[in-house]
Amino acid sequence: HNCVSDTRYSEQWAIDNTGIDINVCNAWNLTTGSNNIILAIIDQGIDNGHTEFVGTNFTASYDAEDRTSPAQLHGDHGTHVCGIISSNRNQASIAGVAPGVSIMEVSHPLTLISTISEDLATGINWAVQNGAHILSNSWGDQGGAFYNDLHSTLLEDAIDNAIENGRGGLGCIVVFASGNWSPAIDYPAYYRSEILVVGSIASTGLRSNFSGFGNQLDIVAPGSAILSTIRTNQYDSWDGTSLATP
């Protein structure tokens, strides 16, 4: 485990500590991610002034609520997601999985405002139009509780467009969290089979008890006790399929 010097790396069981991990040192021997890959994080915005993001290439950004650029910061959730991907290797406290990729921010409060479905559809469309290759979505209808708020043909059309027409016609890779309302899988994660739906496992290798699962589930990743970045140069350990997704 001497492939990085980050001081809290030993707390990052998810990437290289238990045997139940993603063998990240071996992956890094191949690549830490390319700036040519644009990964859109559709979330609450990112505190891109965090020490861990000194080396991160942040591209164009957008706030899906106001329909304007740049992105806004609405909470800690997007920063935590981004830290799992983008934290500097060998610079500060933790290491990200693919710190070399470019990050596109699409921000939204992710609260149940009346326009949430239309907003998120607009954000997805904006990301696709602006060259995103991968769309990371750690949000959903919370096991069906907010299905009526999120469900719309606008949102489904935006997902369809990303899958079919994104990446210059190759199709974007669209990733969604399975949700934390086991056993249900969240909407819109289950909307199309082409969506990559990510559930959560714990350090035991067993399913996290909160993680949605079923026929639409494609893959699992560590999502219990995940240390990552939050606003104002802080760190916190969280649980959720939101963290398995990045």
Side-chain angles (χ1 to χ4, degrees):
H1 307 304
N2 56 1
C3 72
V4 295
S5 58
D6 301 270
T7 55
R8 300 184 69 179
Y9 184 65
S10 62
E11 297 173 59
Q12 293 185 271
W13 73 266
I15 58 176
D16 185 26
N17 283 304
T18 63
I20 308 296
D21 59 47
I22 64 172
N23 285 328
V24 78
C25 291
N26 291 338
W28 284 333
N29 285 333
L30 299 173
T31 183
T32 57
S34 164
N35 270 358
N36 296 326
I37 300 300
I38 300 173
L39 191 154
I41 297 177
I42 301 169
D43 210 296
Q44 289 183 332
I46 299 160
D47 179 2
N48 47 30
H50 199 291
T51 308
E52 290 288 356
F53 302 146
V54 168
T56 304
N57 184 40
F58 288 102
T59 65
S61 70
Y62 181 78
D63 186 74
E65 182 188 20
D66 292 343
R67 316 288 172 89
T68 57
S69 293
Q72 305 298 312
L73 196 49
H74 297 286
D76 280 319
H77 194 265
T79 303
H80 203 275
V81 165
C82 188
I84 294 166
I85 299 164
S86 300
S87 289
N88 268 316
R89 288 176 69 224
N90 303 326
Q91 296 280 331
S93 298
I94 62 172
V97 174
V101 301
S102 294
I103 299 294
M104 176 184 285
E105 283 180 78
V106 177
S107 59
H108 191 272
L110 298 181
T111 50
L112 285 180
I113 56 180
S114 61
T115 56
I116 185 170
S117 188
E118 182 184 342
D119 292 349
L120 290 168
T122 303
I124 288 170
N125 284 330
W126 186 91
V128 171
Q129 286 158 9
N130 285 274
H133 300 105
I134 305 166
L135 277 56
S136 182
N137 300 278
S138 289
W139 49 270
D141 71 348
Q142 302 198 8
F146 305 125
Y147 175 82
N148 289 334
D149 302 275
L150 269 183
H151 177 257
S152 71
T153 53
L154 276 171
L155 181 56
E156 292 176 0
D157 287 349
I159 292 170
D160 290 346
N161 179 57
I163 288 169
E164 293 162 16
N165 304 315
R167 261 192 329 146
L170 296 171
C172 290
I173 298 169
V174 179
V175 189
F176 268 89
S178 71
N180 304 333
W181 302 86
S182 172
I185 289 180
D186 279 3
Y187 175 87
Y190 63 71
Y191 160 62
R192 271 187 76 154
S193 62
E194 295 89 346
I195 295 169
L196 186 68
V197 181
V198 186
S200 172
I201 56 169
S203 58
T204 56
L206 300 175
R207 181 178 65 85
S208 303
N209 60 4
F210 52 79
S211 178
F213 65 95
N215 288 338
Q216 299 98 347
L217 184 71
D218 293 300
I219 196 170
V220 292
S224 292
I226 303 300
L227 178 67
S228 187
T229 48
I230 56 172
R231 290 176 292 182
T232 63
N233 282 333
Q234 304 296 305
Y235 298 83
D236 204 4
S237 186
W238 289 4
D239 299 326
T241 56
S242 280
L243 319 173
T245 301

